[in-house]
């Protein structure tokens, strides 16, 4: 069960990695819907195996993560290795920033004295992924505009409310004292919180897909208007 939980957490991180790289670049591989889910599943599996083998060394584990992110991003977007390397480094810093912000929320806002209890521990880990998604939405809104990859048709910034709600729900859980009688209770709470965070990420993929469809429709309409104007001009 521990390995399954670890895999699911990594799954959330890799999904966020894809959303983050999409802020600054456009994929040059197949547009089939099945490609991205398979990519996320495979990268997560390799990441779990690698981090498990290198668990004794934090430096080696971070180096492995950056190399894996760089190679996997190159596979999915076919951009330069240099660009994907810097995206991987920035995403690694984003992971650290999300953990740091989560620690501040726990210690300064929620006034948690310890995260030693099972419920608090699993909730804090999932809260950090909600914070990570929040940071990615902000980067897509502000940095995406700066680099010429503005959000199309649908303003994802307004969907920032969903990870904020997730953070508040998790905060409400960790601030209460729960007496766990059975191990299954911990798994149930973990499953509910995981589903909450996962739905937020899936929502972002759904919004992103609709945004790209609307953008393509607008392009098609513009091309049709240009074609009609040229036909009228040459009549």
């Amino acid at each position: 069960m521990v390995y399954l939980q670890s895999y699911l957490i990594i799954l959330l991180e890799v999904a966020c990695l894809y959303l983050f790289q999409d802020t600054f670049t456009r994929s040059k591989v197949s547009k089939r819907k099945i490609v991205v889910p398979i990519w996320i599943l495979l990268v997560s599996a390799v990441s779990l195996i690698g981090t498990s083998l290198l668990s004794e060394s934090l430096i080696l584990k971070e180096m492995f993560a950056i190399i894996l992110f760089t190679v996997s991003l190159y596979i999915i977007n076919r951009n330069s290795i240099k660009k994907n390397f810097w995206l991987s480094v920035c995403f690694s810093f984003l992971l650290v920033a999300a953990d740091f912000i989560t620690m501040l929320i726990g210690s300064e806002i929620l006034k948690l004295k310890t995260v030693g209890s099972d419920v608090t521990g699993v909730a804090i880990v999932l809260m950090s992924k909600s914070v990570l998604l929040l940071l990615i939405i902000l980067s897509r809104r502000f940095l995406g505009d700066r680099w010429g990859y503005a959000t199309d048709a649908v303003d994802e910034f307004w969907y920032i409310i969903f990870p904020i709600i997730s953070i508040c729900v998790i905060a409400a859980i960790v601030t209460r004292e729960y007496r766990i009688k059975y191990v299954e209770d911990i798994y149930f709470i973990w499953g509910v919180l995981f589903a909450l965070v996962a739905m937020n990420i899936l929502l972002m993929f759904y919004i992103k897909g609709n945004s790209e469809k609307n953008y393509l429709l607008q392009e098609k309409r513009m091309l049709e208007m240009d074609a009609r104007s040229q036909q009228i001009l040459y009549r």
Side-chain angles (χ1 to χ4, degrees), residues 110 112 117-124 126-127 165-180 185-186 188-194 196-197:
L110 304 180
L112 298 176
S117 66
D118 294 327
V119 175
T120 304
V122 298
I124 288 297
L126 290 170
M127 182 188 286
I165 291 175
S166 297
I167 293 170
C168 293
V169 170
I170 296 173
I173 290 176
V174 299
T175 51
R176 295 183 176 271
E177 294 293 334
Y178 287 95
R179 294 181 179 179
I180 301 300
D185 294 339
I186 299 176
F188 175 76
I189 294 174
W190 191 92
V192 171
L193 294 180
F194 173 82
L196 180 64
V197 178

PDB file of all heavy atoms in Angstrom, residues 110 112 117-124 126-127 165-180 185-186 188-194 196-197:
ATOM      1  N   LEU A 110      -2.036  27.215  10.596  1.00  0.00           N
ATOM      2  CA  LEU A 110      -2.789  26.165  11.276  1.00  0.00           C
ATOM      3  C   LEU A 110      -2.258  25.864  12.671  1.00  0.00           C
ATOM      4  O   LEU A 110      -2.927  25.168  13.438  1.00  0.00           O
ATOM      5  CB  LEU A 110      -2.772  24.881  10.434  1.00  0.00           C
ATOM      6  CG  LEU A 110      -3.291  25.020   8.998  1.00  0.00           C
ATOM      7  CD1 LEU A 110      -3.211  23.684   8.284  1.00  0.00           C
ATOM      8  CD2 LEU A 110      -4.716  25.547   8.997  1.00  0.00           C
ATOM      9  N   LEU A 112       0.142  23.925  13.661  1.00  0.00           N
ATOM     10  CA  LEU A 112       0.363  22.504  13.932  1.00  0.00           C
ATOM     11  C   LEU A 112       1.687  22.328  14.658  1.00  0.00           C
ATOM     12  O   LEU A 112       2.729  22.798  14.192  1.00  0.00           O
ATOM     13  CB  LEU A 112       0.370  21.703  12.626  1.00  0.00           C
ATOM     14  CG  LEU A 112      -0.927  21.716  11.811  1.00  0.00           C
ATOM     15  CD1 LEU A 112      -0.737  20.967  10.500  1.00  0.00           C
ATOM     16  CD2 LEU A 112      -2.074  21.100  12.609  1.00  0.00           C
ATOM     17  N   SER A 117       1.162  12.460  13.347  1.00  0.00           N
ATOM     18  CA  SER A 117       0.013  11.573  13.249  1.00  0.00           C
ATOM     19  C   SER A 117      -0.211  11.155  11.807  1.00  0.00           C
ATOM     20  O   SER A 117       0.134  11.877  10.869  1.00  0.00           O
ATOM     21  CB  SER A 117      -1.233  12.268  13.786  1.00  0.00           C
ATOM     22  OG  SER A 117      -1.580  13.362  12.980  1.00  0.00           O
ATOM     23  N   ASP A 118      -0.813   9.981  11.637  1.00  0.00           N
ATOM     24  CA  ASP A 118      -0.987   9.426  10.301  1.00  0.00           C
ATOM     25  C   ASP A 118      -1.892  10.297   9.436  1.00  0.00           C
ATOM     26  O   ASP A 118      -1.587  10.570   8.276  1.00  0.00           O
ATOM     27  CB  ASP A 118      -1.569   8.013  10.407  1.00  0.00           C
ATOM     28  CG  ASP A 118      -0.588   7.046  11.059  1.00  0.00           C
ATOM     29  OD1 ASP A 118       0.615   7.236  10.858  1.00  0.00           O
ATOM     30  OD2 ASP A 118      -1.035   6.124  11.761  1.00  0.00           O
ATOM     31  N   VAL A 119      -3.010  10.744  10.005  1.00  0.00           N
ATOM     32  CA  VAL A 119      -3.954  11.559   9.238  1.00  0.00           C
ATOM     33  C   VAL A 119      -3.319  12.880   8.837  1.00  0.00           C
ATOM     34  O   VAL A 119      -3.409  13.312   7.679  1.00  0.00           O
ATOM     35  CB  VAL A 119      -5.237  11.811  10.054  1.00  0.00           C
ATOM     36  CG1 VAL A 119      -6.163  12.754   9.307  1.00  0.00           C
ATOM     37  CG2 VAL A 119      -5.952  10.504  10.347  1.00  0.00           C
ATOM     38  N   THR A 120      -2.665  13.528   9.773  1.00  0.00           N
ATOM     39  CA  THR A 120      -2.020  14.813   9.474  1.00  0.00           C
ATOM     40  C   THR A 120      -0.926  14.649   8.427  1.00  0.00           C
ATOM     41  O   THR A 120      -0.786  15.475   7.522  1.00  0.00           O
ATOM     42  CB  THR A 120      -1.422  15.424  10.756  1.00  0.00           C
ATOM     43  OG1 THR A 120      -2.441  15.558  11.734  1.00  0.00           O
ATOM     44  CG2 THR A 120      -0.812  16.784  10.466  1.00  0.00           C
ATOM     45  N   GLY A 121      -0.161  13.580   8.535  1.00  0.00           N
ATOM     46  CA  GLY A 121       0.936  13.353   7.590  1.00  0.00           C
ATOM     47  C   GLY A 121       0.451  13.216   6.163  1.00  0.00           C
ATOM     48  O   GLY A 121       0.963  13.885   5.252  1.00  0.00           O
ATOM     49  N   VAL A 122      -0.545  12.353   5.928  1.00  0.00           N
ATOM     50  CA  VAL A 122      -1.040  12.151   4.570  1.00  0.00           C
ATOM     51  C   VAL A 122      -1.747  13.396   4.055  1.00  0.00           C
ATOM     52  O   VAL A 122      -1.685  13.712   2.855  1.00  0.00           O
ATOM     53  CB  VAL A 122      -1.991  10.931   4.502  1.00  0.00           C
ATOM     54  CG1 VAL A 122      -1.262   9.661   4.882  1.00  0.00           C
ATOM     55  CG2 VAL A 122      -3.210  11.121   5.398  1.00  0.00           C
ATOM     56  N   ALA A 123      -2.422  14.133   4.942  1.00  0.00           N
ATOM     57  CA  ALA A 123      -3.130  15.346   4.525  1.00  0.00           C
ATOM     58  C   ALA A 123      -2.156  16.433   4.107  1.00  0.00           C
ATOM     59  O   ALA A 123      -2.379  17.133   3.105  1.00  0.00           O
ATOM     60  CB  ALA A 123      -4.040  15.838   5.650  1.00  0.00           C
ATOM     61  N   ILE A 124      -1.052  16.589   4.846  1.00  0.00           N
ATOM     62  CA  ILE A 124      -0.069  17.620   4.527  1.00  0.00           C
ATOM     63  C   ILE A 124       0.597  17.348   3.184  1.00  0.00           C
ATOM     64  O   ILE A 124       0.834  18.267   2.381  1.00  0.00           O
ATOM     65  CB  ILE A 124       0.994  17.707   5.645  1.00  0.00           C
ATOM     66  CG1 ILE A 124       0.400  18.341   6.909  1.00  0.00           C
ATOM     67  CG2 ILE A 124       2.203  18.499   5.187  1.00  0.00           C
ATOM     68  CD1 ILE A 124      -0.059  19.776   6.717  1.00  0.00           C
ATOM     69  N   LEU A 126      -0.703  15.812   0.592  1.00  0.00           N
ATOM     70  CA  LEU A 126      -1.655  16.138  -0.462  1.00  0.00           C
ATOM     71  C   LEU A 126      -1.923  17.644  -0.538  1.00  0.00           C
ATOM     72  O   LEU A 126      -2.196  18.176  -1.614  1.00  0.00           O
ATOM     73  CB  LEU A 126      -2.956  15.373  -0.246  1.00  0.00           C
ATOM     74  CG  LEU A 126      -2.841  13.862  -0.481  1.00  0.00           C
ATOM     75  CD1 LEU A 126      -4.092  13.141  -0.021  1.00  0.00           C
ATOM     76  CD2 LEU A 126      -2.574  13.564  -1.952  1.00  0.00           C
ATOM     77  N   MET A 127      -1.833  18.324   0.602  1.00  0.00           N
ATOM     78  CA  MET A 127      -1.971  19.777   0.578  1.00  0.00           C
ATOM     79  C   MET A 127      -0.858  20.415  -0.250  1.00  0.00           C
ATOM     80  O   MET A 127      -1.099  21.379  -0.994  1.00  0.00           O
ATOM     81  CB  MET A 127      -1.951  20.351   2.000  1.00  0.00           C
ATOM     82  CG  MET A 127      -2.129  21.870   2.037  1.00  0.00           C
ATOM     83  SD  MET A 127      -1.889  22.612   3.665  1.00  0.00           S
ATOM     84  CE  MET A 127      -3.407  22.088   4.478  1.00  0.00           C
ATOM     85  N   ILE A 165      -9.932  25.798  -2.478  1.00  0.00           N
ATOM     86  CA  ILE A 165     -10.937  25.048  -1.727  1.00  0.00           C
ATOM     87  C   ILE A 165     -10.344  23.747  -1.187  1.00  0.00           C
ATOM     88  O   ILE A 165     -10.589  23.359  -0.037  1.00  0.00           O
ATOM     89  CB  ILE A 165     -12.167  24.765  -2.609  1.00  0.00           C
ATOM     90  CG1 ILE A 165     -12.920  26.066  -2.894  1.00  0.00           C
ATOM     91  CG2 ILE A 165     -13.092  23.748  -1.935  1.00  0.00           C
ATOM     92  CD1 ILE A 165     -14.076  25.902  -3.856  1.00  0.00           C
ATOM     93  N   SER A 166      -9.543  23.072  -2.019  1.00  0.00           N
ATOM     94  CA  SER A 166      -8.898  21.826  -1.580  1.00  0.00           C
ATOM     95  C   SER A 166      -7.988  22.075  -0.388  1.00  0.00           C
ATOM     96  O   SER A 166      -7.977  21.292   0.569  1.00  0.00           O
ATOM     97  CB  SER A 166      -8.098  21.211  -2.734  1.00  0.00           C
ATOM     98  OG  SER A 166      -8.942  20.867  -3.800  1.00  0.00           O
ATOM     99  N   ILE A 167      -7.219  23.151  -0.447  1.00  0.00           N
ATOM    100  CA  ILE A 167      -6.323  23.487   0.657  1.00  0.00           C
ATOM    101  C   ILE A 167      -7.124  23.750   1.929  1.00  0.00           C
ATOM    102  O   ILE A 167      -6.748  23.293   3.018  1.00  0.00           O
ATOM    103  CB  ILE A 167      -5.457  24.710   0.294  1.00  0.00           C
ATOM    104  CG1 ILE A 167      -4.488  24.355  -0.841  1.00  0.00           C
ATOM    105  CG2 ILE A 167      -4.675  25.213   1.504  1.00  0.00           C
ATOM    106  CD1 ILE A 167      -3.756  25.538  -1.427  1.00  0.00           C
ATOM    107  N   CYS A 168      -8.242  24.461   1.795  1.00  0.00           N
ATOM    108  CA  CYS A 168      -9.081  24.762   2.967  1.00  0.00           C
ATOM    109  C   CYS A 168      -9.693  23.496   3.548  1.00  0.00           C
ATOM    110  O   CYS A 168      -9.768  23.336   4.777  1.00  0.00           O
ATOM    111  CB  CYS A 168     -10.181  25.749   2.579  1.00  0.00           C
ATOM    112  SG  CYS A 168      -9.581  27.399   2.149  1.00  0.00           S
ATOM    113  N   VAL A 169     -10.143  22.584   2.686  1.00  0.00           N
ATOM    114  CA  VAL A 169     -10.728  21.329   3.158  1.00  0.00           C
ATOM    115  C   VAL A 169      -9.690  20.497   3.908  1.00  0.00           C
ATOM    116  O   VAL A 169      -9.952  19.967   5.000  1.00  0.00           O
ATOM    117  CB  VAL A 169     -11.308  20.521   1.982  1.00  0.00           C
ATOM    118  CG1 VAL A 169     -11.693  19.111   2.430  1.00  0.00           C
ATOM    119  CG2 VAL A 169     -12.522  21.227   1.400  1.00  0.00           C
ATOM    120  N   ILE A 170      -8.493  20.395   3.329  1.00  0.00           N
ATOM    121  CA  ILE A 170      -7.429  19.637   3.981  1.00  0.00           C
ATOM    122  C   ILE A 170      -7.025  20.303   5.288  1.00  0.00           C
ATOM    123  O   ILE A 170      -6.769  19.625   6.298  1.00  0.00           O
ATOM    124  CB  ILE A 170      -6.216  19.494   3.033  1.00  0.00           C
ATOM    125  CG1 ILE A 170      -6.615  18.680   1.796  1.00  0.00           C
ATOM    126  CG2 ILE A 170      -5.044  18.835   3.748  1.00  0.00           C
ATOM    127  CD1 ILE A 170      -5.549  18.626   0.727  1.00  0.00           C
ATOM    128  N   ALA A 171      -6.976  21.637   5.291  1.00  0.00           N
ATOM    129  CA  ALA A 171      -6.638  22.362   6.517  1.00  0.00           C
ATOM    130  C   ALA A 171      -7.661  22.095   7.617  1.00  0.00           C
ATOM    131  O   ALA A 171      -7.311  21.941   8.791  1.00  0.00           O
ATOM    132  CB  ALA A 171      -6.551  23.858   6.234  1.00  0.00           C
ATOM    133  N   ALA A 172      -8.950  22.033   7.228  1.00  0.00           N
ATOM    134  CA  ALA A 172      -9.998  21.752   8.212  1.00  0.00           C
ATOM    135  C   ALA A 172      -9.845  20.365   8.813  1.00  0.00           C
ATOM    136  O   ALA A 172     -10.138  20.150   9.996  1.00  0.00           O
ATOM    137  CB  ALA A 172     -11.367  21.888   7.551  1.00  0.00           C
ATOM    138  N   ILE A 173      -9.339  19.433   8.016  1.00  0.00           N
ATOM    139  CA  ILE A 173      -9.155  18.061   8.506  1.00  0.00           C
ATOM    140  C   ILE A 173      -7.969  17.972   9.465  1.00  0.00           C
ATOM    141  O   ILE A 173      -8.060  17.360  10.536  1.00  0.00           O
ATOM    142  CB  ILE A 173      -8.969  17.094   7.321  1.00  0.00           C
ATOM    143  CG1 ILE A 173     -10.294  16.955   6.561  1.00  0.00           C
ATOM    144  CG2 ILE A 173      -8.479  15.721   7.795  1.00  0.00           C
ATOM    145  CD1 ILE A 173     -10.206  16.110   5.318  1.00  0.00           C
ATOM    146  N   VAL A 174      -6.860  18.605   9.102  1.00  0.00           N
ATOM    147  CA  VAL A 174      -5.653  18.472   9.940  1.00  0.00           C
ATOM    148  C   VAL A 174      -5.750  19.260  11.238  1.00  0.00           C
ATOM    149  O   VAL A 174      -5.009  18.995  12.191  1.00  0.00           O
ATOM    150  CB  VAL A 174      -4.394  18.913   9.166  1.00  0.00           C
ATOM    151  CG1 VAL A 174      -4.176  18.054   7.941  1.00  0.00           C
ATOM    152  CG2 VAL A 174      -4.470  20.383   8.779  1.00  0.00           C
ATOM    153  N   THR A 175      -6.649  20.237  11.309  1.00  0.00           N
ATOM    154  CA  THR A 175      -6.784  21.014  12.539  1.00  0.00           C
ATOM    155  C   THR A 175      -7.693  20.336  13.556  1.00  0.00           C
ATOM    156  O   THR A 175      -7.825  20.815  14.677  1.00  0.00           O
ATOM    157  CB  THR A 175      -7.339  22.419  12.239  1.00  0.00           C
ATOM    158  OG1 THR A 175      -8.527  22.310  11.443  1.00  0.00           O
ATOM    159  CG2 THR A 175      -6.316  23.267  11.512  1.00  0.00           C
ATOM    160  N   ARG A 176      -8.323  19.251  13.173  1.00  0.00           N
ATOM    161  CA  ARG A 176      -9.163  18.505  14.099  1.00  0.00           C
ATOM    162  C   ARG A 176      -8.467  17.227  14.533  1.00  0.00           C
ATOM    163  O   ARG A 176      -7.718  16.628  13.763  1.00  0.00           O
ATOM    164  CB  ARG A 176     -10.519  18.168  13.460  1.00  0.00           C
ATOM    165  CG  ARG A 176     -11.346  19.407  13.172  1.00  0.00           C
ATOM    166  CD  ARG A 176     -12.704  19.019  12.610  1.00  0.00           C
ATOM    167  NE  ARG A 176     -13.527  20.219  12.434  1.00  0.00           N
ATOM    168  CZ  ARG A 176     -14.303  20.725  13.354  1.00  0.00           C
ATOM    169  NH1 ARG A 176     -14.366  20.165  14.542  1.00  0.00           N
ATOM    170  NH2 ARG A 176     -15.036  21.805  13.120  1.00  0.00           N
ATOM    171  N   GLU A 177      -8.720  16.832  15.743  1.00  0.00           N
ATOM    172  CA  GLU A 177      -8.113  15.614  16.274  1.00  0.00           C
ATOM    173  C   GLU A 177      -9.004  14.423  15.937  1.00  0.00           C
ATOM    174  O   GLU A 177     -10.135  14.318  16.401  1.00  0.00           O
ATOM    175  CB  GLU A 177      -7.956  15.718  17.799  1.00  0.00           C
ATOM    176  CG  GLU A 177      -6.969  16.780  18.236  1.00  0.00           C
ATOM    177  CD  GLU A 177      -5.537  16.426  17.836  1.00  0.00           C
ATOM    178  OE1 GLU A 177      -5.252  15.232  17.689  1.00  0.00           O
ATOM    179  OE2 GLU A 177      -4.723  17.352  17.689  1.00  0.00           O
ATOM    180  N   TYR A 178      -8.469  13.540  15.108  1.00  0.00           N
ATOM    181  CA  TYR A 178      -9.212  12.342  14.746  1.00  0.00           C
ATOM    182  C   TYR A 178      -8.569  11.118  15.404  1.00  0.00           C
ATOM    183  O   TYR A 178      -7.354  10.929  15.324  1.00  0.00           O
ATOM    184  CB  TYR A 178      -9.229  12.150  13.226  1.00  0.00           C
ATOM    185  CG  TYR A 178     -10.114  13.128  12.512  1.00  0.00           C
ATOM    186  CD1 TYR A 178      -9.582  14.301  11.971  1.00  0.00           C
ATOM    187  CD2 TYR A 178     -11.482  12.899  12.383  1.00  0.00           C
ATOM    188  CE1 TYR A 178     -10.401  15.208  11.322  1.00  0.00           C
ATOM    189  CE2 TYR A 178     -12.301  13.800  11.732  1.00  0.00           C
ATOM    190  CZ  TYR A 178     -11.757  14.948  11.198  1.00  0.00           C
ATOM    191  OH  TYR A 178     -12.559  15.859  10.562  1.00  0.00           O
ATOM    192  N   ARG A 179      -9.409  10.338  16.021  1.00  0.00           N
ATOM    193  CA  ARG A 179      -8.931   9.103  16.625  1.00  0.00           C
ATOM    194  C   ARG A 179      -9.170   7.955  15.655  1.00  0.00           C
ATOM    195  O   ARG A 179     -10.306   7.576  15.386  1.00  0.00           O
ATOM    196  CB  ARG A 179      -9.661   8.835  17.948  1.00  0.00           C
ATOM    197  CG  ARG A 179      -9.356   9.872  19.035  1.00  0.00           C
ATOM    198  CD  ARG A 179     -10.085   9.542  20.313  1.00  0.00           C
ATOM    199  NE  ARG A 179      -9.780  10.522  21.357  1.00  0.00           N
ATOM    200  CZ  ARG A 179     -10.301  10.476  22.578  1.00  0.00           C
ATOM    201  NH1 ARG A 179     -11.158   9.498  22.906  1.00  0.00           N
ATOM    202  NH2 ARG A 179      -9.980  11.399  23.467  1.00  0.00           N
ATOM    203  N   ILE A 180      -8.082   7.430  15.141  1.00  0.00           N
ATOM    204  CA  ILE A 180      -8.175   6.370  14.154  1.00  0.00           C
ATOM    205  C   ILE A 180      -8.170   5.020  14.862  1.00  0.00           C
ATOM    206  O   ILE A 180      -7.209   4.673  15.557  1.00  0.00           O
ATOM    207  CB  ILE A 180      -7.003   6.447  13.145  1.00  0.00           C
ATOM    208  CG1 ILE A 180      -7.008   7.802  12.442  1.00  0.00           C
ATOM    209  CG2 ILE A 180      -7.112   5.332  12.123  1.00  0.00           C
ATOM    210  CD1 ILE A 180      -8.256   8.095  11.659  1.00  0.00           C
ATOM    211  N   ASP A 185      -9.357   3.258   8.088  1.00  0.00           N
ATOM    212  CA  ASP A 185      -9.846   4.634   8.191  1.00  0.00           C
ATOM    213  C   ASP A 185      -8.850   5.615   7.587  1.00  0.00           C
ATOM    214  O   ASP A 185      -9.236   6.594   6.935  1.00  0.00           O
ATOM    215  CB  ASP A 185     -10.108   4.996   9.656  1.00  0.00           C
ATOM    216  CG  ASP A 185     -11.253   4.187  10.245  1.00  0.00           C
ATOM    217  OD1 ASP A 185     -12.064   3.671   9.461  1.00  0.00           O
ATOM    218  OD2 ASP A 185     -11.324   4.070  11.474  1.00  0.00           O
ATOM    219  N   ILE A 186      -7.562   5.364   7.824  1.00  0.00           N
ATOM    220  CA  ILE A 186      -6.521   6.227   7.250  1.00  0.00           C
ATOM    221  C   ILE A 186      -6.545   6.134   5.728  1.00  0.00           C
ATOM    222  O   ILE A 186      -6.457   7.149   5.024  1.00  0.00           O
ATOM    223  CB  ILE A 186      -5.134   5.831   7.784  1.00  0.00           C
ATOM    224  CG1 ILE A 186      -5.097   5.987   9.304  1.00  0.00           C
ATOM    225  CG2 ILE A 186      -4.044   6.678   7.133  1.00  0.00           C
ATOM    226  CD1 ILE A 186      -3.796   5.537   9.917  1.00  0.00           C
ATOM    227  N   PHE A 188      -9.056   5.372   3.870  1.00  0.00           N
ATOM    228  CA  PHE A 188     -10.270   6.024   3.364  1.00  0.00           C
ATOM    229  C   PHE A 188     -10.084   7.535   3.293  1.00  0.00           C
ATOM    230  O   PHE A 188     -10.416   8.162   2.278  1.00  0.00           O
ATOM    231  CB  PHE A 188     -11.461   5.679   4.266  1.00  0.00           C
ATOM    232  CG  PHE A 188     -12.717   6.402   3.883  1.00  0.00           C
ATOM    233  CD1 PHE A 188     -13.453   5.999   2.773  1.00  0.00           C
ATOM    234  CD2 PHE A 188     -13.161   7.505   4.623  1.00  0.00           C
ATOM    235  CE1 PHE A 188     -14.623   6.675   2.416  1.00  0.00           C
ATOM    236  CE2 PHE A 188     -14.324   8.174   4.257  1.00  0.00           C
ATOM    237  CZ  PHE A 188     -15.046   7.763   3.156  1.00  0.00           C
ATOM    238  N   ILE A 189      -9.558   8.124   4.365  1.00  0.00           N
ATOM    239  CA  ILE A 189      -9.321   9.570   4.376  1.00  0.00           C
ATOM    240  C   ILE A 189      -8.332   9.956   3.289  1.00  0.00           C
ATOM    241  O   ILE A 189      -8.514  10.944   2.572  1.00  0.00           O
ATOM    242  CB  ILE A 189      -8.815  10.019   5.763  1.00  0.00           C
ATOM    243  CG1 ILE A 189      -9.908   9.821   6.816  1.00  0.00           C
ATOM    244  CG2 ILE A 189      -8.383  11.489   5.740  1.00  0.00           C
ATOM    245  CD1 ILE A 189      -9.457  10.090   8.229  1.00  0.00           C
ATOM    246  N   TRP A 190      -7.265   9.164   3.166  1.00  0.00           N
ATOM    247  CA  TRP A 190      -6.268   9.427   2.135  1.00  0.00           C
ATOM    248  C   TRP A 190      -6.894   9.357   0.738  1.00  0.00           C
ATOM    249  O   TRP A 190      -6.626  10.205  -0.114  1.00  0.00           O
ATOM    250  CB  TRP A 190      -5.127   8.422   2.237  1.00  0.00           C
ATOM    251  CG  TRP A 190      -3.943   8.778   1.394  1.00  0.00           C
ATOM    252  CD1 TRP A 190      -2.855   9.508   1.765  1.00  0.00           C
ATOM    253  CD2 TRP A 190      -3.733   8.432   0.009  1.00  0.00           C
ATOM    254  NE1 TRP A 190      -1.974   9.633   0.701  1.00  0.00           N
ATOM    255  CE2 TRP A 190      -2.494   8.990  -0.378  1.00  0.00           C
ATOM    256  CE3 TRP A 190      -4.462   7.700  -0.923  1.00  0.00           C
ATOM    257  CZ2 TRP A 190      -1.977   8.838  -1.656  1.00  0.00           C
ATOM    258  CZ3 TRP A 190      -3.957   7.553  -2.211  1.00  0.00           C
ATOM    259  CH2 TRP A 190      -2.726   8.122  -2.558  1.00  0.00           C
ATOM    260  N   GLY A 191      -7.743   8.352   0.517  1.00  0.00           N
ATOM    261  CA  GLY A 191      -8.381   8.198  -0.788  1.00  0.00           C
ATOM    262  C   GLY A 191      -9.286   9.363  -1.132  1.00  0.00           C
ATOM    263  O   GLY A 191      -9.302   9.841  -2.273  1.00  0.00           O
ATOM    264  N   VAL A 192     -10.040   9.836  -0.143  1.00  0.00           N
ATOM    265  CA  VAL A 192     -10.939  10.971  -0.382  1.00  0.00           C
ATOM    266  C   VAL A 192     -10.148  12.239  -0.715  1.00  0.00           C
ATOM    267  O   VAL A 192     -10.475  12.963  -1.666  1.00  0.00           O
ATOM    268  CB  VAL A 192     -11.837  11.210   0.851  1.00  0.00           C
ATOM    269  CG1 VAL A 192     -12.618  12.519   0.694  1.00  0.00           C
ATOM    270  CG2 VAL A 192     -12.798  10.046   1.044  1.00  0.00           C
ATOM    271  N   LEU A 193      -9.096  12.498   0.053  1.00  0.00           N
ATOM    272  CA  LEU A 193      -8.288  13.698  -0.185  1.00  0.00           C
ATOM    273  C   LEU A 193      -7.542  13.603  -1.510  1.00  0.00           C
ATOM    274  O   LEU A 193      -7.412  14.600  -2.240  1.00  0.00           O
ATOM    275  CB  LEU A 193      -7.300  13.895   0.964  1.00  0.00           C
ATOM    276  CG  LEU A 193      -7.915  14.206   2.333  1.00  0.00           C
ATOM    277  CD1 LEU A 193      -6.821  14.380   3.380  1.00  0.00           C
ATOM    278  CD2 LEU A 193      -8.794  15.442   2.270  1.00  0.00           C
ATOM    279  N   PHE A 194      -7.056  12.400  -1.840  1.00  0.00           N
ATOM    280  CA  PHE A 194      -6.376  12.211  -3.125  1.00  0.00           C
ATOM    281  C   PHE A 194      -7.332  12.477  -4.280  1.00  0.00           C
ATOM    282  O   PHE A 194      -6.973  13.142  -5.256  1.00  0.00           O
ATOM    283  CB  PHE A 194      -5.818  10.791  -3.235  1.00  0.00           C
ATOM    284  CG  PHE A 194      -5.249  10.479  -4.598  1.00  0.00           C
ATOM    285  CD1 PHE A 194      -3.963  10.877  -4.928  1.00  0.00           C
ATOM    286  CD2 PHE A 194      -6.015   9.812  -5.537  1.00  0.00           C
ATOM    287  CE1 PHE A 194      -3.443  10.602  -6.189  1.00  0.00           C
ATOM    288  CE2 PHE A 194      -5.506   9.534  -6.805  1.00  0.00           C
ATOM    289  CZ  PHE A 194      -4.217   9.929  -7.129  1.00  0.00           C
ATOM    290  N   LEU A 196      -9.890  14.388  -4.267  1.00  0.00           N
ATOM    291  CA  LEU A 196     -10.157  15.827  -4.310  1.00  0.00           C
ATOM    292  C   LEU A 196      -9.071  16.567  -5.084  1.00  0.00           C
ATOM    293  O   LEU A 196      -9.365  17.390  -5.964  1.00  0.00           O
ATOM    294  CB  LEU A 196     -10.249  16.370  -2.886  1.00  0.00           C
ATOM    295  CG  LEU A 196     -10.532  17.868  -2.727  1.00  0.00           C
ATOM    296  CD1 LEU A 196     -11.912  18.201  -3.278  1.00  0.00           C
ATOM    297  CD2 LEU A 196     -10.439  18.268  -1.255  1.00  0.00           C
ATOM    298  N   VAL A 197      -7.807  16.263  -4.777  1.00  0.00           N
ATOM    299  CA  VAL A 197      -6.693  16.918  -5.475  1.00  0.00           C
ATOM    300  C   VAL A 197      -6.631  16.484  -6.932  1.00  0.00           C
ATOM    301  O   VAL A 197      -6.406  17.301  -7.837  1.00  0.00           O
ATOM    302  CB  VAL A 197      -5.361  16.605  -4.759  1.00  0.00           C
ATOM    303  CG1 VAL A 197      -4.193  17.251  -5.502  1.00  0.00           C
ATOM    304  CG2 VAL A 197      -5.400  17.090  -3.313  1.00  0.00           C
TER     305      VAL A 197
END
